[in-house]
Amino acid sequence: MLDTSGAGLHKRGYRIEQGEAPLKETLAAALVKLSRWSPERPFVDPFTGSGTIAIEAALIGQNIAPGFNREFLAEEWPIIQPATWDQVREEAESLANYDQPLDILGTDIDHRMIKIASENSMEAGLGDLVTFKQMQVRDFTTDKQYGVIVGNPPYGERLSDRKAVELMYKEMGEVFSNYPTWSKYFLTSYEEFEQAYGTPATKRRKLFNGFIKTDYYQYWEKDLLEIRE
Ligand SMILES: C[S@@+](CC[C@H](N)C(=O)[O-])C[C@H]1O[C@@H](n2cnc3c(N)ncnc32)[C@H](O)[C@@H]1O
């Protein structure tokens, strides 16, 4: 067996700091892909933490190669010429669409996370392409239509946290029901999420967040629901 990567492939190289329960970058990218978001639509991560989901959305939105910011172990192998690496990096660079405008917002209740998320986004070379701001999820408001929300809220795994998390899920259900044209996606291990949120999901998908068994609760936008019905 040969290891061509060195550090795990989920390590993209932009996360200089992180919060308590960061998602692997690869899982964050998968959540964005599963949401069927396209770059002309607004995108919001209301529990942004270290910004992983919002940053991955921006990379996907501008078609930036996920490994552009890191090195690979195989770069030290004499069998692969440095020119080959330069060539594939140039190829990836030419495929990026830096002119693609994006409307991506990451919010979090914790202002320290907002600072970390902004720094990580800078490190990823995204400048101010992604907006980060401190906000509680229950204060979410927008006049935009057809956006996509992808969130990785706290799971309430400690018994003492369950009540607070349940209340927050209820507030999420109330606030997001005001935006029927938006699609909403939430990853949590909390098994009674739908009861607390107040609406059954359009679709659920089982996913592992590391060793934690979670569900990806999907609430599709109004038009998609009508097509399905
Ligand atoms: C599981 S972490 C998200 C981790 C993030 N996906 C990452 O990769 O770093 C959950 C985040 O939700 C935030 N949070 C907790 N309660 C909140 C609330 N009521 N409104 C908004 N954010 C909240 C926490 O500060 C924490 O950063």
Side-chain angles (χ1 to χ4, degrees):
M1 199 165 72
L2 287 174
D3 175 11
T4 57
S5 312
L9 277 177
H10 67 88
K11 295 201 175 134
R12 316 276 212 216
Y14 62 72
R15 201 149 71 185
I16 38 180
E17 274 207 73
Q18 57 192 45
E20 267 178 31
L23 282 181
K24 278 193 174 154
E25 294 87 326
T26 36
L27 179 58
L31 298 183
V32 175
K33 290 268 185 186
L34 285 168
S35 77
R36 287 184 284 185
W37 170 71
S38 49
E40 66 284 354
R41 299 175 70 180
F43 184 96
V44 177
D45 171 8
F47 304 97
T48 207
S50 42
T52 325
I53 298 175
I55 293 171
E56 289 297 323
L59 297 179
I60 290 169
Q62 290 200 335
N63 202 33
I64 299 172
F68 78 103
N69 211 15
R70 58 162 282 161
E71 285 164 357
F72 299 87
L73 188 65
E75 287 178 67
E76 292 165 17
W77 295 0
I79 195 173
I80 306 173
Q81 297 306 309
T84 309
W85 290 98
D86 293 344
Q87 192 190 324
V88 289
R89 284 211 163 90
E90 272 162 32
E91 202 181 309
E93 180 74 11
S94 70
L95 291 172
N97 182 4
Y98 297 113
D99 295 331
Q100 173 65 52
L102 296 174
D103 178 356
I104 301 180
L105 171 68
T107 63
D108 199 286
I109 195 169
D110 186 342
H111 65 90
R112 289 167 307 178
M113 294 317 302
I114 295 308
K115 185 166 176 283
I116 289 176
S118 308
E119 284 168 3
N120 288 342
S121 183
M122 283 288 169
E123 184 66 25
L126 297 172
D128 53 8
L129 193 62
V130 182
T131 307
F132 291 102
K133 87 172 187 204
Q134 189 273 334
M135 191 185 76
Q136 291 198 44
V137 67
R138 67 170 180 222
D139 294 335
F140 176 81
T141 165
T142 183
D143 48 16
K144 295 172 186 160
Q145 300 284 339
Y146 295 100
V148 175
I149 293 167
V150 176
N152 173 217
Y155 299 168
E157 288 189 304
R158 274 177 303 203
L159 210 58
S160 55
D161 294 341
R162 282 179 71 94
K163 272 265 166 296
V165 151
E166 225 169 70
L167 176 65
M168 190 186 62
Y169 291 163
K170 182 168 172 280
E171 290 171 345
M172 284 161 60
E174 286 164 2
V175 69
F176 293 137
S177 67
N178 296 322
Y179 306 102
T181 67
W182 284 59
S183 280
K184 302 114 194 162
Y185 294 78
F186 305 109
L187 185 79
T188 177
S189 64
Y190 195 87
E191 290 187 357
E192 286 93 45
F193 175 79
E194 288 163 296
Q195 287 94 311
Y197 188 82
T199 324
T202 320
K203 199 174 161 187
R204 291 164 57 160
R205 188 184 169 127
K206 295 209 175 304
L207 287 172
F208 273 91
N209 176 3
F211 292 112
I212 309 173
K213 201 170 134 230
T214 56
D215 274 287
Y216 196 33
Y217 294 91
Q218 316 188 8
Y219 294 89
W220 294 359
E221 78 218 34
K222 193 169 132 267
D223 297 2
L224 271 182
L225 278 175
E226 279 163 10
I227 294 167
R228 190 167 118 136
E229 279 156 14

